[in-house]
Amino acid sequence: MPATARKQERLDRTLLALADPTRRELLERVGGGPRRATDLLRVLKDAGLVTAVPQGREVLYQRAEELAALEEARAFFERMSADWDRALAAFKRFAEAGEKRS
């Protein structure tokens, strides 16, 4: 792969990572100095997305059983989708009515 393509790909990955507010928060946390993984995972734990599973001296993380935060997001997107569907249907009716008048 040419060097310019590699640079473009790296820029794309960087911009994609920075587009996410959680990733920006994680970057800000490590920007203040070295952090343990558990400090960074707290962002996901606070959002209710992961839970800690102690195993001996280690702590593993898994997706939370109760994903109320994701359910709330799903409900939000369903409401938004319904609004968009109604708006697009109204626009379609308007556009088709305008074609008939022309």
Side-chain angles (χ1 to χ4, degrees), residues 70-84:
L70 289 181
E71 280 301 312
E72 291 167 5
R74 184 192 56 75
F76 168 78
F77 287 122
E78 284 180 357
R79 286 192 308 274
M80 295 303 296
S81 178
D83 290 344
W84 276 102

Side-chain angles (χ1 to χ4, degrees), residues 6-101:
R6 281 194 304 272
K7 284 183 181 179
Q8 184 64 45
E9 189 176 300
R10 185 173 55 230
L11 175 61
D12 291 345
R13 284 192 313 266
T14 301
L15 293 175
L16 181 62
L18 293 174
D20 181 78
T22 300
R23 292 185 190 127
R24 288 193 305 268
E25 183 178 344
L26 294 173
L27 186 60
E28 285 182 31
R29 286 182 183 218
V30 296
R35 297 285 186 255
R36 291 183 300 278
T38 53
D39 294 338
L40 300 176
L41 279 165
R42 190 168 296 126
V43 173
L44 299 175
K45 285 176 60 180
D46 290 348
L49 299 175
V50 298
T51 57
V53 181
Q55 287 194 350
R57 295 186 315 165
E58 293 184 326
V59 177
L60 303 177
Y61 293 89
Q62 66 183 21
R63 188 181 69 187
E65 295 291 325
E66 295 281 327
L67 291 176
L70 289 181
E71 280 301 312
E72 291 167 5
R74 184 192 56 75
F76 168 78
F77 287 122
E78 284 180 357
R79 286 192 308 274
M80 295 303 296
S81 178
D83 290 344
W84 276 102
D85 288 346
R86 283 191 293 277
L88 288 172
F91 179 73
K92 181 180 177 186
R93 288 190 302 275
F94 172 78
E96 288 173 345
E99 286 179 2
K100 291 178 183 175
R101 283 183 259 162

